[in-house]
Amino acid sequence: MSAPWPRRPRLVAGNWKMNRTAADGAALARELTALSAAGLPCAVALCPPFTALESVGAVLRGGATHLGAQNLHPESKGAFTGEVSGPMLAALGCRFVIVGHSERRHGMGEDDATVARKARAALRDGLTPIVCVGETLAEREADKTTEVLVRQVWAVYEGLGADSRRTVVAYEPVWAIGTGRVATPDQARDAHRVIRATLDRVVGDHAGEAIAILYGGSVTDKNAVALFAENEVDGALVGGASLEAASFWRICAAAR
Ligand code: PEP
């Protein structure tokens, strides 16, 4: 079982999505490893596609950068063609797994209950889930951001108890993902406060103060400093800008 995460660690995680072959991924990881030779400015995780986990894991082995996956099946084994389970990811050296990414909620029909099952499966299998939540543009424009965030957080954390402290949340407004339209630091702060207050209510015991909340959605090396200056933002989940070693490294450095 993975150890509890320290209280609100600074974390920058790269979500490579469906990019990079095993060989290309290893090359990117090697570039990042070279840049971080003098040490990491914050906790860092790389989440390549399943097919590159082994090769990227081999590059990261023995270093401080964590390996993460982008998805898992809630069951640990069985007749689930095309799926990958938590024990399989753990055996490859994964520490993290992303659950509830909007591209899975909205593109693959994953509902709150499925995301909750996946988060529990990750914890059961010794992985730290990065639980993604966030509103669509239509929901924001209809003033439903708070309602959506409360519902999504509640679904995952209800009944999770002390295990909650082995999770990370990523606030990822759907309208900001891959669009170049980043949330303002104020928008991120307000959403993170809603998430923290919800964690306090659903988990109790000041859980909101202990759990890291990352911001994700068009983070670049240009806007990272302003986002990280906001006290509520504990780091970032980075998509596009994590595919280039120098830009990802500058984002990590900004989180110091
Ligand atoms: C993501 O996919 O989690 C993400 C934040 O993507 P991007 O940084 O490209 O918006």
Side-chain angles (χ1 to χ4, degrees):
M1 178 172 288
S2 59
W5 212 204
R7 185 183 172 278
R8 282 178 67 176
R10 288 289 228 188
L11 170 67
V12 175
N15 173 14
W16 293 2
K17 310 194 190 196
M18 198 171 71
N19 295 293
R20 300 289 183 266
T21 62
D24 295 345
L28 178 53
R30 270 193 295 274
E31 279 185 68
L32 274 163
T33 306
L35 288 169
S36 62
L40 293 173
C42 61
V44 176
L46 304 183
C47 304
F50 289 140
T51 48
L53 282 171
E54 186 153 23
S55 64
V56 171
V59 174
L60 301 185
R61 199 160 299 137
T65 301
H66 299 285
L67 185 65
Q70 299 172 20
N71 185 31
L72 83 171
H73 191 276
E75 298 296 331
S76 53
K77 63 177 180 178
F80 302 102
T81 301
E83 295 290 326
V84 172
S85 73
M88 294 170 180
L89 300 177
L92 284 172
C94 287
R95 159 87 202 222
F96 292 98
V97 60
I98 298 169
V99 299
H101 192 282
S102 70
E103 286 154 16
R104 300 207 61 87
R105 287 182 190 264
H106 299 286
M108 316 275 177
E110 289 192 7
D111 59 11
D112 288 340
T114 303
V115 178
R117 284 182 69 211
K118 290 187 173 196
R120 280 174 167 68
L123 290 162
R124 175 197 67 210
D125 297 330
L127 301 162
T128 298
I130 300 176
V131 180
C132 299
V133 297
E135 80 289 357
T136 63
L137 185 58
E139 288 164 340
R140 174 164 282 267
E141 287 175 348
D143 239 350
K144 292 207 162 126
T145 300
T146 298
E147 186 187 313
V148 170
L149 295 179
V150 169
R151 194 198 72 228
Q152 292 179 341
V153 170
W154 205 278
V156 170
Y157 285 87
E158 192 172 21
L160 217 54
D163 272 346
S164 305
R165 290 171 194 262
R166 295 197 292 120
T167 71
V168 171
V169 177
Y171 168 58
E172 296 213 310
V174 182
W175 47 268
I177 296 179
T179 59
R181 184 179 166 189
V182 65
T184 65
D186 285 2
Q187 286 172 321
R189 177 201 60 213
D190 292 349
H192 286 212
R193 282 186 180 158
V194 169
I195 293 166
R196 251 183 244 296
T198 308
L199 290 168
D200 280 343
R201 277 172 54 215
V202 64
V203 180
D205 200 20
H206 307 289
E209 269 310 302
I211 296 171
I213 306 179
L214 316 181
Y215 167 79
S218 296
V219 175
T220 66
D221 53 356
K222 308 281 182 302
N223 56 36
V225 171
L227 285 162
F228 295 153
E230 174 48 59
N231 195 35
E232 284 287 340
V233 176
D234 298 317
L237 182 55
V238 185
S242 70
L243 291 170
E244 206 261 307
S247 67
F248 185 65
W249 180 249
R250 283 193 291 271
I251 294 169
C252 297
R256 186 185 294 280

